[in-house]
Amino acid sequence: MRFFLESRKFLIISFAVYILLKILFANNFISAYIQQITLFAIIMTIAALGLNVIYGYTGQFSLGHAAFYGIGAYTSAYLAKIFGIEGVFSFLPVLLISGIVAGCIGYLIGIPILRLRDDFLAIATLGFGTLVRVFLDNSDRFAEMLGGSRGFVGISKITNLELTFFSALFIVLITKNLIYSRYGLFLRCIRDDELAATSAGINTSKTKLMAFSYGCMLAGVGGALYAHLYTFLHPSNFDILKSIDFLIIVIIGGMGSIRGTIYASILWVGLIEGLRIVLPVEMLDLRWVVIPVLLIALMMWKPYGLMAKK
Amino acid sequence: MELLGYIIEQTINGLQLGAVYALIALGYTMVYGVLRLINFAHGDIFMLGAFIAYFLITKFGMPIYFVFIITMLSTGLAGYLIEKIAYKPLRHAPKISLLITAVGVSLFLEYFLSLNALFTPNYIGFPRPFEIESYNFAMFTVTNVQLLIFSITFISLFLVYLLVYRTKYGRAMRAVSYDQEVASLMGIGIDGIISFTFIVGASLAGLGGILYGIAYPQINVFMGIMPGIKSFIAAVLGGIGIVHGAVLGGFIIGLLEVFVSAFISSTFRDGLIFIILLLVLILKPSGIFGKRIEKV
Amino acid sequence: MKKYVVIFFLLFFITGISHAKDTVKIGLITPLTGDVKTFGESAKNAFVIALEEYAKNGKYNIEPVIADDKNDPTEGANAALKLITQDKVVAISGPLTSKVTIPVSDIANKNKVPMISGAATNPKVTTYEGKRKPYVFRACYTDPFQGTVAATFALKELKAKTAAVLYDVGNDYSKGLAEFFKATFIKDKGAIVAYESYQKDDVDFSALISKIAMKKPDIIYLPDYYNKVALIARQVREKGLKSTLLGSDGWDSPELMKIGGSAIVGGYFTNHYSPDRKDPIAEAFIKRYKQKHGAVPDALAALGYDATMILLKAIDSAKKPTQEEIIKLLSSLKNHKGVTGNISFDKNGDAIKSVVLLKVEKDKIKYMTTINP
């Protein structure tokens, strides 16, 4: 009960947003395209939140987040296809399993690599990301259905507003409670000073590992929702550039700020897609020139991001 | 007998690839030594070197040794500027901000240079300054390109070794890499040494770029990404921050790639390289020549 | 933003005044950024030329909406939805690569918007699990056909007994062709002595080539884009290998000879059309393209032009340019005289077309023969 009282304001706002979206979606006030990128922005929020737990709260630098997003996407598409799942409710267990699979793989890979310091961890996760892409490129050797570099086709479209929105809401609430629990305090301690955290009796390696797995799990859930929104998967969607997308979202939103991540995801997808609408064709190239410049400027001006609590 | 010839030939293939990796890995290792930074933009400086050489050869028709000198000077300058503009303001910022800035610089270089007004994203044929010749021995062939790459690589490695271990600058570099604060107390100008390291590392990357263009005569703006990552792995493998480690690592990675393709399967080659990286990081994070660092 | 709104309204106003023709919106999806940007720009140039061509005496006023797919399936899907639901286009030309065209074709089909791709060769573009996607067409032949033709040509015309295949494992186009070539070659009593793959970013093929050199194949089949092929060809010749090189339509680029030099001379490849085809339509297009862009159009430009022209033809002959009308007319299209030859569609919406075999010579690409399906 206390939990509901504390989150009352947040819940009320969320439901208001949901009702608003529902009205817009239901009567086709906004086109299917805007609906799709709205859902995509929410999905990006879920996955980026996972990276924020890993990087923003715990200070573990990961450049392989898209790999876990991909693992979740492929797992859910595979399971849904095998069991012929079409409905939202029968999809829920698949969603959960996809998240758990990504989380478990994150756990297994985390055991050895989380001992590494920031930049080495970056390279190790980057390496893992490449490993996953090589695997996906050749996945048709293991199971014809996965399609390898031809892409995974014929995934049923399940993701809708309710599923996406309430998954995101649920995940945000869980993450929020996690962060404000004693456990979340441990995470922040580790980020700020690992040595001091160890001497305060925090089991740092275990805590880091749990945070990393949880973050990967969120990426997996996001990936699963993505797979059933776009109904086609290709290994090239889960490479290093995608990982950098997530990283940029977390940084813009601010390390360790849930609200920041939500805003930044919406802003990011809005920016990328908005530029498509606004920019004339000749100027599209400039998209990726402007973004890194902004990133460098941001790092100089506010190294902890726009909404960071520092 | 045939198999022996085959193995020798594949070894030469691997050494050729390894030589280029070694040159790029040197710059990584030196910069890491003084700044403790993985300079993600290093692979892009290598790309810049190839492009500068391309323009010098095609537009100005310069003789080859001039091309080498001017390219190395230009990429050295690029390295210097990148450090001054992007990295220096963040000297005391959190470590990860610096890393993200490096990623930003790398993306910027790639996408800015790929604009149609500049280099375009297309693949461009790199003009070889001389014709290729093959020298046949009993069991294998060597080309003049391969001989050129080996000789230039070894000369530069030797010079870098001398620089780091036999000169005042080298001693200052090692001091900075050991402990910046103490080094500055000893009267070493930290900023100057860091700039100097960047210049040397970037010139070597530029040199690698030229050799790469000669060996695999095709360049494009995104060509630095994969060699960059693999050279970094080479540097880690040999022991990051250690000059001869980077060289050995480069040759090991080159040979590994070739032999995996030759005897196992080319498909999983990159996967295997990364598995090796993970293993090295887990088992001996300080690399082959590395001293035991208490925590990496 | 304000500026654009103003411009938009001005345009709106102008089109409102000049109400001579009805306006029809058609979309183009093509990669204008990303790794195959060059091909995307060829297709866009051709699209623009096709529209200019139509404007001379077309019944409707065509309003183009161009979207970039970055050669990324997600971006492609977003672009398609935007064109269909925001801009309300009645038909789509494009995309280029199969990996983007597959999700886009699903979206177009679901929304009942006719689309025709110039160059996506994967069978899954027009069918899903053997079922036809009724709203999707393509102006080119499919991978199975091209790979089969190449294998038959190698066996029959080049009298090859053994072949080695090198392909890019991360590229569905390259992989598909390699598989169909292999299947046909083995079926017709040839021997595949090496079947090796490489990664997208590779530049050093020496390990694979040394491996192949041991086997001394008559033919090396290289189904990939010109840039990779040129590099491989050079390294093949540097290793002193004398095998004949054989390839696919990805070879077709003016850059092939520039990068490949003498190494590529003597190679054969299958293509959609030959630039020295004596044909008034092709010649007119090539001339226009050269005037505008100062280069010989590649196969992707030619196919993009044909695809767009077919679409415009269907729209033009429609009484009312609705999607249903356009689809009916597209399905019944016969013998459209295009730059790349006569185009009719089979029951799957794939173009029934002949393959042209070309040979790379010192100073030009020589037309060898045409193989009909």
Side-chain angles (χ1 to χ4, degrees):
Chain A
M1 205 59 230
R2 210 178 104 225
F3 156 71
F4 278 107
L5 285 174
E6 280 175 2
S7 312
R8 199 168 46 189
K9 196 170 145 206
F10 173 74
L11 283 172
I12 289 170
I13 292 173
S14 310
F15 278 106
V17 170
Y18 166 71
I19 303 280
L20 181 73
L21 284 176
K22 186 70 197 168
I23 291 167
L24 288 175
F25 276 42
N27 302 332
N28 272 343
F29 279 128
I30 49 176
S31 68
Y33 161 66
I34 303 285
Q35 293 181 23
Q36 174 144 317
I37 59 173
T38 308
L39 295 185
F40 184 56
I42 300 174
I43 291 169
M44 285 298 266
T45 307
I46 295 173
L49 201 59
L51 187 61
N52 205 346
V53 171
I54 295 171
Y55 167 60
Y57 285 104
T58 329
Q60 304 298 309
F61 191 79
S62 170
L63 272 178
H65 203 62
F68 297 100
Y69 183 67
I71 289 169
Y74 270 83
T75 309
S76 79
Y78 184 73
L79 290 175
K81 206 155 178 181
I82 281 185
F83 297 116
I85 289 169
E86 302 275 339
V88 172
F89 285 103
S90 48
F91 178 67
L92 285 175
V94 173
L95 190 65
L96 193 66
I97 292 169
S98 309
I100 289 170
V101 168
C104 285
I105 292 175
Y107 185 87
L108 291 176
I109 195 81
I111 293 170
I113 67 173
L114 284 176
R115 293 180 315 172
L116 303 168
R117 229 190 22 226
D118 35 33
D119 36 18
F120 281 87
L121 183 64
I123 281 288
T125 47
L126 181 93
F128 177 72
T130 311
L131 207 62
V132 169
R133 225 204 66 219
V134 171
F135 176 81
L136 290 180
D137 267 342
N138 296 297
S139 57
D140 50 342
R141 297 183 179 210
F142 311 105
E144 189 56 45
M145 192 196 296
L146 297 176
S149 56
R150 291 204 187 92
F152 193 142
V153 290
I155 302 164
S156 49
K157 189 165 172 135
I158 299 173
T159 306
N160 59 10
L161 175 64
E162 281 73 20
L163 181 66
T164 318
F165 192 86
F166 289 112
S167 306
L169 186 63
F170 182 70
I171 281 168
V172 167
L173 286 175
I174 296 270
T175 312
K176 206 169 140 174
N177 279 286
L178 193 84
I179 294 303
Y180 291 117
S181 70
R182 228 167 58 125
Y183 185 74
L185 192 65
F186 291 172
L187 297 185
R188 295 198 297 279
C189 284
I190 291 171
R191 179 188 65 193
D192 295 339
D193 192 337
E194 198 169 326
L195 207 64
T198 313
S199 56
I202 299 170
N203 183 344
T204 49
S205 56
K206 192 175 149 204
T207 313
K208 281 195 310 196
L209 193 57
M210 290 319 290
F212 188 74
S213 316
Y214 179 74
C216 293
M217 189 176 111
L218 296 197
V221 171
L225 290 169
Y226 166 83
H228 293 275
L229 176 66
Y230 281 89
T231 68
F232 174 81
L233 298 175
H234 195 275
S236 65
N237 273 118
F238 307 107
D239 59 359
I240 166 84
L241 270 176
K242 214 24 145 229
S243 295
I244 291 177
D245 279 1
F246 290 125
L247 193 67
I248 292 173
I249 290 174
V250 170
I251 291 162
I252 291 175
M255 292 172 65
S257 158
I258 294 178
R259 191 181 299 173
T261 304
I262 296 171
Y263 292 157
S265 302
I266 293 165
L267 186 79
W268 176 251
V269 176
L271 185 80
I272 291 284
E273 289 298 326
L275 285 176
R276 179 199 298 287
I277 299 171
V278 175
L279 278 185
V281 168
E282 293 72 33
M283 310 262 289
L284 277 173
D285 286 3
L286 290 173
R287 263 202 310 201
W288 277 98
V289 178
V290 174
I291 287 163
V293 172
L294 288 177
L295 195 63
I296 296 168
L298 186 72
M299 280 295 111
M300 292 187 182
W301 177 50
K302 283 198 165 171
Y304 294 99
L306 287 174
M307 309 252 322
K309 296 193 166 110
K310 287 233 166 186
Chain B
M1 221 49 237
E2 184 139 309
L3 183 69
L4 183 66
Y6 179 63
I7 290 174
I8 292 174
E9 189 170 323
Q10 292 287 25
T11 308
I12 294 171
N13 291 339
L15 289 174
Q16 177 184 342
L17 195 60
V20 178
Y21 287 160
L23 278 175
I24 311 175
L26 266 180
Y28 265 118
T29 266
M30 288 165 80
V31 167
Y32 190 89
V34 295
L35 260 196
R36 294 277 175 275
L37 161 76
I38 296 173
N39 182 9
F40 267 97
H42 195 69
D44 302 297
I45 295 177
F46 156 86
M47 171 270 290
L48 197 63
F51 268 93
I52 291 170
Y54 165 79
F55 283 112
L56 292 178
I57 295 171
T58 51
K59 295 272 184 297
F60 304 103
M62 285 195 181
I64 184 77
Y65 41 91
F66 267 125
V67 172
F68 274 103
I69 293 165
I70 293 178
T71 305
M72 286 176 74
L73 287 175
S74 328
T75 51
L77 179 69
Y80 171 81
L81 289 175
I82 288 172
E83 196 273 330
K84 275 278 175 286
I85 295 166
Y87 300 160
K88 190 158 178 288
L90 289 157
R91 193 71 54 84
H92 301 292
K95 194 57 181 296
I96 292 177
S97 309
L98 198 59
L99 199 62
I100 290 163
T101 307
V103 172
V105 170
S106 164
L107 287 174
F108 174 76
L109 282 174
E110 284 158 19
Y111 285 93
F112 177 69
L113 293 175
S114 75
L115 292 177
N116 280 347
L118 294 147
F119 296 170
T120 73
N122 307 343
Y123 289 85
I124 299 167
F126 189 91
R128 273 191 179 144
F130 49 84
E131 276 310 302
I132 190 157
E133 288 170 25
S134 300
Y135 309 109
N136 287 316
F137 291 91
M139 285 186 296
F140 58 92
T141 48
V142 180
T143 62
N144 55 353
V145 169
Q146 285 167 332
L147 291 176
L148 175 87
I149 290 177
F150 295 148
S151 49
I152 288 186
T153 307
F154 280 112
I155 292 167
S156 18
L157 301 183
F158 182 68
L159 290 177
V160 170
Y161 190 84
L162 286 185
L163 175 81
V164 174
Y165 290 100
R166 294 281 180 277
T167 65
K168 213 168 64 175
Y169 284 109
R171 191 179 309 153
M173 266 186 211
R174 282 177 291 141
V176 170
S177 101
Y178 202 80
D179 191 329
Q180 249 188 48
E181 279 174 27
V182 174
S184 80
L185 293 175
M186 294 291 159
I188 294 171
I190 300 281
D191 286 358
I193 290 296
I194 289 176
S195 291
F196 179 73
T197 312
F198 262 88
I199 292 170
V200 174
S203 332
L204 288 170
L207 180 65
I210 309 175
L211 293 180
Y212 182 95
I214 293 173
Y216 314 111
Q218 185 189 74
I219 54 176
N220 95 330
V221 177
F222 300 95
M223 71 188 230
I225 300 174
M226 252 354 223
I229 292 175
K230 282 175 181 163
S231 305
F232 179 78
I233 294 174
V236 171
L237 185 66
I240 189 103
I242 299 157
V243 174
H244 46 277
V247 177
L248 184 80
F251 282 114
I252 291 177
I253 295 284
L255 286 168
L256 257 177
E257 276 198 18
V258 165
F259 276 92
V260 170
S261 302
F263 290 99
I264 304 169
S265 139
S266 48
T267 314
F268 295 99
R269 188 200 61 205
D270 282 7
L272 201 83
I273 298 288
F274 283 106
I275 288 173
I276 287 168
L277 167 77
L278 293 178
L279 286 176
V280 170
L281 287 174
I282 291 159
L283 300 173
K284 196 170 186 300
S286 53
I288 296 172
F289 288 119
K291 315 264 181 306
R292 286 299 307 160
I293 311 168
E294 106 259 7
K295 202 159 193 182
V296 173
Chain C
M1 198 61 220
K2 236 183 196 158
K3 199 168 71 187
Y4 289 102
V5 173
V6 171
I7 289 171
F8 180 78
F9 274 110
L10 270 175
L11 280 172
F12 203 76
F13 201 62
I14 292 163
T15 49
I17 290 169
S18 61
H19 203 67
K21 295 178 181 179
D22 281 342
T23 299
V24 177
K25 271 188 173 180
I26 65 168
L28 170 74
I29 303 176
T30 192
L32 296 166
T33 53
D35 53 354
V36 292
K37 177 179 160 175
T38 355
F39 297 146
E41 287 186 339
S42 290
K44 186 190 124 212
N45 295 340
F47 177 78
V48 173
I49 289 178
L51 290 184
E52 287 170 358
E53 197 67 30
Y54 176 82
K56 281 178 195 162
N57 45 17
K59 190 159 75 176
Y60 298 107
N61 188 7
I62 301 284
E63 188 185 319
V65 190
I66 297 175
D68 170 35
D69 67 39
K70 216 175 138 192
N71 195 20
D72 171 326
T74 311
E75 293 252 350
N78 284 340
L81 260 185
K82 173 182 174 282
L83 291 181
I84 293 167
T85 62
Q86 284 280 104
D87 303 317
K88 303 264 193 290
V89 297
V90 297
I92 293 174
S93 168
L96 267 192
T97 52
S98 296
K99 75 171 179 191
V100 179
T101 311
I102 292 168
V104 168
S105 68
D106 284 340
I107 290 168
N109 205 35
K110 220 172 272 160
N111 290 291
K112 301 200 162 87
V113 172
M115 70 165 262
I116 174 163
S117 167
T121 47
N122 189 315
K124 285 179 185 160
V125 167
T126 49
T127 55
Y128 169 60
E129 290 180 350
K131 280 208 301 286
R132 163 96 175 93
K133 298 178 189 169
Y135 286 86
V136 188
F137 297 84
R138 73 176 109 213
C140 54
Y141 41 65
T142 55
D143 288 336
F145 181 53
Q146 192 180 191
T148 308
V149 165
T152 313
F153 176 78
L155 289 159
K156 298 248 159 51
E157 304 294 319
L158 302 174
K159 301 279 181 279
K161 303 260 181 303
T162 55
V165 180
L166 268 177
Y167 68 97
D168 177 350
V169 72
N171 181 341
D172 59 284
Y173 158 78
S174 185
K175 202 169 175 173
L177 284 172
E179 279 168 15
F180 292 111
F181 177 89
K182 182 182 173 184
T184 311
F185 201 79
I186 291 174
K187 199 179 78 204
D188 296 345
K189 309 286 178 291
I192 299 282
V193 291
Y195 191 71
E196 295 285 344
S197 66
Y198 48 86
Q199 311 276 341
K200 181 175 142 239
D201 310 310
D202 284 3
V203 290
D204 186 313
F205 305 94
S206 56
L208 298 178
I209 293 167
S210 296
K211 202 170 172 176
I212 291 175
M214 300 271 286
K215 306 275 200 303
K216 299 210 172 31
D218 302 333
I219 292 271
I220 301 178
Y221 186 56
L222 304 171
D224 204 348
Y225 298 135
Y226 66 94
N227 48 27
K228 280 278 173 286
V229 170
L231 264 188
I232 297 172
R234 270 177 177 255
Q235 290 174 32
V236 165
R237 295 296 176 241
E238 278 160 27
K239 290 266 181 235
L241 210 64
K242 300 274 187 290
S243 316
T244 310
L245 303 178
L246 177 65
S248 56
D249 58 326
W251 283 34
D252 186 26
S253 161
E255 294 291 318
L256 178 75
M257 326 266 275
K258 281 186 202 154
I259 306 175
S262 60
I264 200 79
V265 171
Y268 297 87
F269 66 101
T270 48
N271 200 5
H272 303 273
Y273 90 122
S274 154
D276 50 13
R277 220 182 104 204
K278 290 284 165 277
D279 174 273
I281 295 171
E283 277 168 8
F285 169 69
I286 291 164
K287 203 173 123 204
R288 280 296 309 279
Y289 196 96
K290 266 191 186 158
Q291 265 174 359
K292 270 194 86 140
H293 304 288
V296 178
D298 52 14
L300 292 154
L303 288 168
Y305 178 82
D306 280 353
T308 311
M309 271 317 210
I310 289 172
L311 206 53
L312 292 171
K313 190 174 172 180
I315 290 170
D316 201 55
S317 43
K319 286 189 197 66
K320 273 185 87 150
T322 59
Q323 288 143 354
E324 279 63 38
E325 277 281 321
I326 295 170
I327 270 298
K328 256 196 227 115
L329 290 159
L330 272 179
S331 309
S332 62
L333 182 109
K334 287 271 180 303
N335 282 331
H336 168 82
K337 295 208 168 6
V339 175
T340 59
N342 283 356
I343 301 172
S344 306
F345 294 118
D346 66 4
K347 62 179 194 330
N348 284 341
D350 301 333
I352 304 166
K353 274 165 84 176
S354 38
V355 175
V356 182
L357 262 152
L358 305 173
K359 185 180 184 183
V360 184
E361 295 198 336
K362 257 203 185 59
D363 44 2
K364 63 171 194 355
I365 305 280
K366 188 176 153 215
Y367 168 79
M368 298 290 294
T369 167
T370 302
I371 296 164
N372 294 313

